[in-house]
Amino acid sequence: MTRASHTRGGGMTLSKDGLPDWLDPVVRAAETVEPLQLSRFLPPADGRGRQSAVLILFGDGDRGPELLLMERASSLRSHAGQPSFPGGALDPEDGDPAADGPLRAALREAEEETGLDPSGVQLFGVLPRLYIPVSSFVVTPVLGWWREPSPVGVVDPNETARVFTVPVADLTDPVNRATTVHPSGHRGPAFLVESALVWGFTAGVIDRLLHFAGWERPWDRDKQVPLDWRS
């Protein structure tokens, strides 16, 4: 069982022991999904890109399964103001990007950004590495079970505007689903939840997880929400 009481040094492993039954479809999806089934944006073959990791943390909330998200500060240079999974670039101290470096980075970044206690998180899977062209991040999505929830909130207002959880039931509700159209013409899934518009990389990963876990419900893909919806 992954009990990361610290996020630097020491080996880390993945474990499916003791997970709740409702996570079984997510476990299966992580074990079988192919990279191109998640995104058409995959890491460059020449190795370019900044290695990074995000923590996709499932918890058991008042309304059932939920995901931990945060909203990035509007002053950040990349992905400003966007809701996202906790995460960021690997530090040298995190270790080998091809081994357990992303596991350690995902927990470290989540602790730094939300204040969660990594010792209460059990890591159980890793999705294929994906690519964010606009920031050149090569992202390893790390799946976790919030076995022992801890208080979370904004640690550094310069990086994070807020920290919140979203019930999976709200993410699967067709009323909360829409399609965004980027000025570049790129279309992608979006979720209107917790007074936030979740779009881009984060929404794409959530969309594919819901689909391959068998949780997706039919929704109106012609419903569009502009990316400047706040203005």
Side-chain angles (χ1 to χ4, degrees), residues 161-216:
R162 65 172 173 143
V163 177
F164 58 101
T165 57
V166 180
V168 171
D170 286 351
L171 294 168
T172 59
D173 188 337
V175 172
N176 299 328
R177 304 214 53 181
T179 297
T180 55
V181 181
H182 193 271
S184 68
H186 175 69
R187 297 167 62 90
F191 301 84
L192 294 102
V193 289
E194 301 297 324
S195 302
L197 175 64
V198 183
W199 63 284
F201 173 84
T202 303
V205 173
I206 293 174
D207 171 78
R208 293 296 80 196
L209 272 178
L210 296 180
H211 175 77
F212 288 108
W215 294 345
E216 183 180 40

Side-chain angles (χ1 to χ4, degrees), residues 8 12 26 40 50 68 83-84 90 112 115 127-128 148 150 192 229:
R8 294 179 185 273
M12 299 187 67
V26 178
R40 64 186 179 93
R50 191 175 183 190
L68 177 68
S84 68
L90 269 67
E112 292 175 359
L127 297 178
E148 297 174 5
S150 53
L192 294 102
W229 70 294

Side-chain angles (χ1 to χ4, degrees), residues 26-42:
V26 178
V27 173
R28 287 194 296 271
E31 293 173 340
T32 58
V33 70
E34 298 292 334
L36 282 173
Q37 292 178 310
L38 286 177
S39 174
R40 64 186 179 93
F41 298 113
L42 302 183

Side-chain angles (χ1 to χ4, degrees), residues 94-106:
D94 292 324
D96 187 352
D100 61 2
L103 308 185
R104 193 171 291 108

Side-chain angles (χ1 to χ4, degrees), residues 43-213:
D46 60 7
R48 286 183 297 112
R50 191 175 183 190
Q51 297 294 326
S52 63
V54 296
L55 179 64
I56 304 177
L57 184 59
F58 289 90
D60 201 351
D62 294 336
R63 294 179 51 212
E66 62 184 16
L67 276 177
L68 177 68
L69 296 177
M70 50 172 274
E71 188 172 310
R72 295 169 59 82
S74 59
S75 57
L76 292 177
R77 286 183 296 176
S78 62
H79 310 292
Q82 285 191 34
S84 68
F85 302 116
L90 269 67
D91 284 349
E93 296 85 356
D94 292 324
D96 187 352
D100 61 2
L103 308 185
R104 193 171 291 108
L107 284 176
R108 174 183 56 76
E109 285 283 345
E111 181 179 16
E112 292 175 359
E113 293 175 331
T114 74
L116 70 75
D117 182 355
S119 67
V121 176
Q122 177 178 339
L123 303 182
F124 65 87
V126 175
L127 297 178
R129 292 190 307 161
L130 304 175
Y131 188 58
I132 304 180
V134 68
S135 55
S136 298
F137 278 121
V138 175
V139 186
T140 299
V142 179
L143 300 168
W145 159 238
W146 211 353
R147 177 176 289 281
E148 297 174 5
S150 53
V152 291
V154 174
V155 175
D156 183 355
N158 293 318
E159 289 192 3
T160 309
R162 65 172 173 143
V163 177
F164 58 101
T165 57
V166 180
V168 171
D170 286 351
L171 294 168
T172 59
D173 188 337
V175 172
N176 299 328
R177 304 214 53 181
T179 297
T180 55
V181 181
H182 193 271
S184 68
H186 175 69
R187 297 167 62 90
F191 301 84
L192 294 102
V193 289
E194 301 297 324
S195 302
L197 175 64
V198 183
W199 63 284
F201 173 84
T202 303
V205 173
I206 293 174
D207 171 78
R208 293 296 80 196
L209 272 178
L210 296 180
H211 175 77
F212 288 108

